Amino acid sequence: MTSSAANTIPIDHMRDRYWRGTLHLFSKQPKLRGVFTIQYFNLHYRSIKASGLKRISAPWSQSEKFMLNLALHLYNECHKVNLCDMDYLDPNNKQLAFEAIKMRFG
């Protein structure tokens, strides 16, 4: 069993604009929270195993994939996201997405 990465978030990560929105989504969105583990996150080295997350997300719904893609994009813009896919989101996920975008871009 893997440990939750959420239990070990360093405070400086929450001040970092590249991490803040990403961590917000991974700690608040139910599907993302389920994979917010040390298997995919090394917070000490500030790294995310994006390829592993994308691989396990293959069977997820469009909205869940969008939330993952948004979280990864906020962390590093080399991970692309199509904002038009926000149409798939329910009001709660849309609110989380807007909060995370605001955290990243102010």
Side-chain angles (χ1 to χ4, degrees), residues 21-29 32 67 70-71 74 96-97 100:
T22 298
L23 294 174
H24 180 70
L25 291 177
F26 274 98
S27 63
K28 302 289 184 186
Q29 204 282 335
L32 297 182
M67 294 300 277
L70 177 61
L74 295 175
L96 282 174

Side-chain angles (χ1 to χ4, degrees), residues 65-91:
K65 287 179 187 178
F66 173 82
M67 294 300 277
L68 173 62
N69 290 332
L70 177 61
L72 294 174
H73 179 76
L74 295 175
Y75 166 70
N76 184 324
E77 68 274 358
C78 76
H79 303 285
K80 301 303 177 196
V81 66
N82 181 351
L83 288 179
C84 290
D85 288 344
M86 284 185 79
D87 288 339
Y88 294 113
L89 301 181
D90 63 29

